[in-house]
Amino acid sequence: VLAVWASVALGQDIPRIVSEGGRHALYVDGAPFLVLGAQANNSSNYPEPLGKVWPVIERLGANTLEIPVAWEQVEPVEGQFDFAWLDTLLAQARAHDKRLILLWFATWKNTAPAYAPRWVKLDNARFPRMITPTGASHYALSPHARSTLDADRRAFVKLMEYLRDKDSRNTVIMVQVENEPGSYGLVRDHGPEAQRLFAGPVPEALRKRLGRKPGTWREVFGADADEFFQAWAVASHINAVAAAGKAIKPLPMYSNAALAAAAGRQSAATYASGGPVHHVIDIYKAAAPALDLVAPDIYTPDESAVAAYLDFYARRDNPLLVPEIGNSRPFARYFFDVIGHGGIGFAPFGMDATGYANYPLGARSFDEALDLFARIYRLFGPMQREWAKAAAEGKVWGVSEPVGAAAGHQRTIQLGPYRATVSFGRHQFGFDPPTGNPEPTGGAAIAQLGPDEYLVTGFDARVEFALAEAKDGKATGESLLFDRVEEGRFEGGRWIFARVWNGDQVDYGLNFTGQPQVLRVKLARLRTA
Ligand code: N0T
């Protein structure tokens, strides 16, 4: 009680993840917060390019900017720390009324040590690379070098001390520790320390969590042993860094994954082995309790793969955050699936005007899909807190437009007593079947506000409600009516009424266009038999 009082009195309601009953919320300033984010390009982490970042963030209507802090820029000379970048960044973020998620680019940045200071990345004796089975040097740093961990951790602690001392307002709401860790082309380290550990027993914490009998890595995990061993080592390093940082200021922290294929198992030499890919989430949970979550970086536009990834990462023990998603047009609609999974945040990657585009992962230009992301953020911005609160209570649903005719250009949402059918590409008047939108831009989101009362919104979609039990049009003696459909908006936590939808606006379902429209829908059952 005293600690709570003290933190409130000091204005230090530190952001935190609150999980209850397998649902999650990111608390910012003491209440659930939905990250309507955008990630800057990798090299935008200097004062000068910020001038090309903020205008894009403003156009998007994002509430959070994800941006790197490089180890090389804060500790260019060993033991000499320089946080001028953060001085500028924090001041400008506050002036723009935006929150920040800092990306700690250190031992692993897309697995490589390129962002480590030169006194680290050029000293292989003290900060060794991984070793291949034939004794050659790999490009990635070994996760088994105490010296590397000590140096990384010391710099990260300085970063967190800076935030403790200079950010009592908590402009920074989360920290990503490393970036897409692991190693490409080599499944695990074969250096002397790695070999010694690999021949030894699987750590008890891991073995018990996975319910396995004791044994060596190979005995326990067979063909998975190399990747699991690497994941344990990388996650342990990240955990030690995160734990030391949290001891200074306990901000939410996470690790992001360069994903493995959603279906089947490709060779671990072909993706970032040891990173938090979906089939090693449990290893990260065992090795890295200091992390609040592991997160998918989504660059495949394939809807079944995206659906699989969201299912993999939205878990009772893992809040869903999508810290990177491609910034081309097909990706925008996946916002609805992410928040439908109770996600705490979403951020297209590469959203600044510094001149780089990661096509074909994302768009040819940062502004190709800006309108699609921006309309979503403008819709959800005013009610992000209400949405995040409903998500924490497990009362949210969301779907996006499927491509191709197989799904019939529609999706179904089960709302307990009701079923919502969301269809795409129809005239607003009448019964014409859905044919899909000219491009897949549609999506709908529903949050339960009370008994029989739902917040309903979306773009380029029609939403229709039915009784869940009334299958195949069979009469049940009951029919479903709209008691009342109000259009309005949330402002400062209050619902502002604009008008009642009736007549054509409800007779053929609730039609959402490109306009930002939010409805409060009260459903009622009419007994007819
Ligand atoms: C992402 C971004 C940035 C299709 C790529 C994705 C960001 C990092 N890496 O622009 O580098 O810092 O997190 C790698 C995806 C590779 C997939 C290639 C197969």
Side-chain angles (χ1 to χ4, degrees), residues 147-326:
S147 48
T148 306
L149 170 59
D150 285 345
D152 184 344
R153 176 170 48 197
R154 180 162 80 136
F156 189 72
V157 162
K158 291 286 180 198
L159 169 65
M160 297 308 295
E161 286 174 355
Y162 176 94
L163 295 179
R164 178 197 62 196
D165 298 340
K166 300 285 174 67
D167 189 31
S168 57
R169 294 170 54 171
N170 304 307
T171 294
V172 176
I173 58 173
M174 271 197 170
V175 182
Q176 178 187 293
V177 187
E178 316 295 342
N179 188 85
E180 294 186 348
S183 52
Y184 287 105
L186 179 62
V187 179
R188 70 168 175 92
D189 189 12
H190 293 257
E193 176 67 359
Q195 292 301 85
R196 187 183 70 75
L197 291 170
F198 189 73
V202 170
E204 285 290 280
L206 178 59
R207 189 181 72 67
K208 290 212 171 113
R209 186 178 173 104
L210 301 182
R212 304 293 183 96
K213 295 202 188 79
T216 67
W217 287 87
R218 185 67 72 205
E219 285 164 358
V220 175
F221 296 121
D224 290 329
D226 300 275
E227 182 186 6
F228 285 18
F229 175 78
Q230 176 77 354
W232 175 264
V234 171
S236 298
H237 173 120
I238 294 172
N239 184 61
V241 173
K246 280 192 157 180
I248 306 298
K249 181 171 184 179
L251 285 177
M253 295 189 188
Y254 70 96
S255 175
N256 62 329
L259 297 167
R265 272 296 270 286
Q266 60 190 113
S267 156
T270 64
Y271 54 85
S273 175
V277 297
H278 65 270
H279 54 265
V280 301
I281 292 176
D282 283 317
I283 296 180
Y284 269 70
K285 292 295 167 191
L291 295 180
D292 295 272
L293 60 102
V294 292
D297 291 350
I298 298 178
Y299 286 100
T300 170
D302 176 71
E303 65 199 30
S304 55
V306 172
Y309 290 130
L310 299 185
D311 286 342
F312 291 147
Y313 284 85
R315 303 181 2 159
R316 295 179 61 83
D317 63 354
N318 195 67
L320 177 66
L321 168 73
V322 178
E324 295 181 33
I325 193 163

Side-chain angles (χ1 to χ4, degrees), residues 10 33 50 176 245 285 472:
L10 293 169
F33 181 92
L50 273 184
Q176 178 187 293
K285 292 295 167 191
D472 307 315

Side-chain angles (χ1 to χ4, degrees), residues 64-215:
T64 304
L65 168 65
E66 300 174 349
I67 193 161
V69 177
W71 185 5
E72 68 177 350
Q73 79 188 130
V74 303
E75 195 183 6
V77 176
E78 186 171 6
Q80 293 182 21
F81 293 91
D82 176 359
F83 288 102
W85 160 234
L86 285 184
D87 289 339
T88 303
L89 177 63
L90 265 62
Q92 292 193 15
R94 288 168 189 156
H96 286 270
D97 196 21
K98 302 300 176 198
R99 306 313 272 253
L100 296 169
I101 295 178
L102 297 182
L103 315 173
W104 177 238
F105 284 9
T107 298
W108 294 285
K109 159 62 177 88
N110 299 15
T111 75
Y115 279 85
R118 62 163 60 87
W119 57 270
V120 172
K121 67 186 178 187
L122 302 182
D123 185 349
N124 200 57
R126 192 172 154 207
F127 306 106
R129 259 77 185 166
M130 300 208 303
I131 302 292
T132 72
T134 60
S137 181
H138 186 70
Y139 71 87
L141 292 179
S142 167
H144 299 285
R146 181 70 198 216
S147 48
T148 306
L149 170 59
D150 285 345
D152 184 344
R153 176 170 48 197
R154 180 162 80 136
F156 189 72
V157 162
K158 291 286 180 198
L159 169 65
M160 297 308 295
E161 286 174 355
Y162 176 94
L163 295 179
R164 178 197 62 196
D165 298 340
K166 300 285 174 67
D167 189 31
S168 57
R169 294 170 54 171
N170 304 307
T171 294
V172 176
I173 58 173
M174 271 197 170
V175 182
Q176 178 187 293
V177 187
E178 316 295 342
N179 188 85
E180 294 186 348
S183 52
Y184 287 105
L186 179 62
V187 179
R188 70 168 175 92
D189 189 12
H190 293 257
E193 176 67 359
Q195 292 301 85
R196 187 183 70 75
L197 291 170
F198 189 73
V202 170
E204 285 290 280
L206 178 59
R207 189 181 72 67
K208 290 212 171 113
R209 186 178 173 104
L210 301 182
R212 304 293 183 96
K213 295 202 188 79

